[in-house]
Amino acid sequence: MIYKNNKLTFHNFNLGSIAKKYKTPIYCYSINKIQENINNLKNEFKKINPLICYAVKANSNLAILKEIKKNNLGADVVSVGELMKALKAGINPKKIVFSGVGKVSQEIEYAINKNILLINAESKNEILEIERIAKKKKKVVNVGIR
């Protein structure tokens, strides 16, 4: 954002006019800046080509998540709602990591049903619950230990 002719602008848009038209609060995002950040991150790690997972809790805006998907990134989610949103955006389930404390059985089961890449477990009890549900579903589940 910069001031141009004493008016606050964002990518050459007058924010005062946008606020008048759409009311406040309003959120403005720069797809160009998001793309630039993604490219910088990919370039810095291109030798090892890791799976880069966007933390959905940082911003769950569907348009941003679709941009994440378009750039072939994964998602790190901490709730079933974030998982559902990442899937709605089209992010490949095999690129989704489910972290977060206090996951309940229904959330774990949902994640297992969606065949996501990994569930990060926070406790021995959570590992046992993942194992119980996976056995019931006859599925193999990747588990990370935090």
Side-chain angles (χ1 to χ4, degrees), residues 42-138:
K42 283 182 170 183
N43 286 335
E44 288 299 318
F45 291 100
K46 67 182 168 193
K47 287 183 181 177
I48 60 173
N49 193 29
L51 172 60
I52 299 169
C53 291
Y54 174 75
V56 176
K57 68 182 172 186
N59 191 327
S60 62
N61 179 295
L62 197 55
I64 290 174
L65 295 179
K66 286 180 179 181
E67 192 68 21
I68 297 302
K69 186 256 185 217
K70 191 167 85 175
N71 282 277
N72 209 26
L73 301 184
D76 179 79
V77 301
V78 296
S79 70
V80 75
E82 287 182 5
L83 174 54
M84 290 164 60
K85 205 139 192 203
L87 292 169
K88 184 176 182 179
I91 295 173
N92 182 341
K94 287 298 180 192
K95 292 184 177 186
I96 297 177
V97 175
F98 192 0
S99 302
V101 297
K103 292 184 278 304
V104 298
S105 296
Q106 293 87 346
E107 291 177 308
I108 293 168
E109 186 168 354
Y110 184 83
I112 290 171
N113 286 338
K114 295 300 180 182
N115 298 311
I116 67 169
L117 174 65
L118 174 76
I119 300 174
N120 278 323
E122 307 293 324
S123 68
K124 179 181 176 184
N125 286 342
E126 189 174 335
I127 293 169
L128 294 173
E129 184 63 5
I130 293 166
E131 179 183 41
R132 183 189 70 76
I133 295 168
K135 279 182 178 177
K136 182 176 86 174
K137 301 276 181 187
K138 296 182 176 146

